[in-house]
Amino acid sequence: MIKHVTIGLMMLASAFTAFGQKTDSDKDILVIEHNDKWLSATDYRTNIARAEAGDPVAQRIVARCYMTGIGVATDFHEGWKWMARAAGSGDLEAQYQLGLMYRDGKGVKRSAREAAYWFRRAARNGHPESLLELGKAFENGSGVLADRKMAAQNYWRAGENGNAEGAYRYAVMLRSGNGVEQDMQAALKYFTRAVSLGYTSAQSDVDALVAQGIRLPAKPAVRRTAASQGKTKKVSSSKTTKKDSRHKAANKKSRNSKKTTHKKKR
């Protein structure tokens, strides 16, 4: 009984330290896979020992097992504790997931400020979904002071890192000039990018801008510069000169050979 209480207190202390002190870790790591389709009933059993030993990825997996009820009874609060440990250890995906838990009040009291903190922590290291959520926080003033310019910047970074909704939201701001200088060509570019990333509803926005006569800048044609053409001519001329020299030398050798043969016959 004492042993279990001690372990529980250690877990809580580690979790509260992780987001209580709010010190940035230089060891933040990115694990791209973050959906639960890959979780299996054996994942809790195979990862719990590594999680207790301090492995942040295993801690995140155990947290998701508790959150989804896969391999263990559903317990949102227990999931929060393990996610907090993984996030405090620098796992970017765990930081994002912890932000969602605070945003939605799952396993912990809802807190827009804590959600924004963890989104910012992961976004600083380029986590696409965290960049999107941080952009929303700045746009709506949720947990941070409202700042449309910061919202646009984070949407742009999200789009550049492959997040379709981030590209779409940035395009919307470009089209309206909200938080960023209005630029219809750039808006078309990012609506098009959103579509290419899977945000298919943005196609109607693309069509609307094209109907207004907006076009993406034409890609410059590849042209050979005068310098490169001159260089080519120079090389060709050099090759021709060398070829002519070889022919002259061969002809001279042939003439000399004929003279020698003629002398011998006489």
Side-chain angles (χ1 to χ4, degrees):
M1 177 68 180
I2 294 175
K3 182 178 179 181
H4 288 298
V5 171
T6 302
I7 293 174
L9 289 173
M10 287 173 65
M11 288 171 60
L12 283 171
S14 177
F16 282 113
T17 299
F19 57 82
Q21 293 180 348
K22 296 186 178 179
T23 56
D24 292 331
S25 170
D26 293 330
K27 298 180 180 178
D28 287 357
I29 56 176
L30 173 61
V31 180
I32 297 175
E33 183 64 73
H34 59 269
N35 60 49
D36 299 316
K37 293 179 181 178
W38 53 270
L39 287 176
S40 69
T42 61
D43 281 329
Y44 175 81
R45 188 170 63 253
T46 57
N47 283 281
I48 187 62
R50 291 194 298 118
E52 290 175 342
D55 184 328
V57 175
Q59 289 169 347
R60 172 168 52 82
I61 292 172
V62 168
R64 293 305 302 163
C65 286
Y66 274 114
M67 296 293 292
T68 58
I70 297 177
V72 67
T74 302
D75 188 330
F76 290 129
H77 188 65
E78 195 69 20
W80 164 77
K81 288 192 293 184
W82 281 108
M83 198 67 78
R85 290 182 65 177
S89 296
D91 184 284
L92 299 191
E93 185 58 35
Q95 291 168 0
Y96 166 66
Q97 292 287 344
L98 188 62
L100 293 179
M101 295 175 80
Y102 275 110
R103 185 196 69 183
D104 301 334
K106 277 194 174 182
V108 66
K109 185 178 178 180
R110 189 190 303 265
S111 172
R113 177 178 287 185
E114 286 290 336
Y117 166 74
W118 288 107
F119 289 144
R120 189 196 297 266
R121 176 86 173 262
R124 190 175 295 145
N125 289 284
H127 189 271
E129 287 76 18
S130 294
L131 286 163
L132 171 66
E133 292 301 326
L134 187 58
K136 292 179 182 178
F138 276 115
E139 186 172 13
N140 301 317
S142 178
V144 294
L145 291 175
D147 188 330
R148 295 298 174 88
K149 289 184 178 180
M150 287 296 293
Q153 182 181 347
N154 281 282
Y155 288 149
W156 171 74
R157 288 185 63 200
E160 289 297 307
N161 279 276
N163 184 277
E165 187 179 350
Y168 176 78
R169 285 177 174 268
Y170 183 55
V172 169
M173 298 186 85
L174 285 166
R175 182 176 59 188
S176 64
N178 185 8
V180 67
E181 184 178 351
Q182 188 179 48
D183 187 331
M184 302 303 259
Q185 273 195 339
L188 178 58
K189 173 185 174 181
Y190 281 93
F191 279 132
T192 303
R193 180 168 176 77
V195 172
S196 70
L197 291 170
Y199 205 89
T200 54
S201 61
Q203 185 60 53
S204 60
D205 297 280
V206 172
D207 296 338
L209 288 178
V210 171
Q212 294 173 34
I214 309 299
R215 298 289 186 275
L216 292 175
K219 292 183 179 180
V222 179
R223 294 182 180 179
R224 293 170 62 186
T225 63
S228 65
Q229 289 176 343
K231 186 177 180 181
T232 303
K233 289 179 180 178
K234 187 176 180 180
V235 171
S236 299
S237 176
S238 176
K239 287 183 177 179
T240 303
T241 303
K242 289 181 179 179
K243 188 175 181 181
D244 290 343
S245 298
R246 286 198 297 269
H247 278 299
K248 288 179 180 179
N251 290 335
K252 186 176 181 181
K253 186 177 180 181
S254 177
R255 286 197 300 270
N256 291 338
S257 177
K258 287 179 178 179
K259 287 180 181 180
T260 303
T261 303
H262 182 68
K263 286 179 179 180
K264 285 181 178 181
K265 285 182 178 180
R266 294 179 65 186

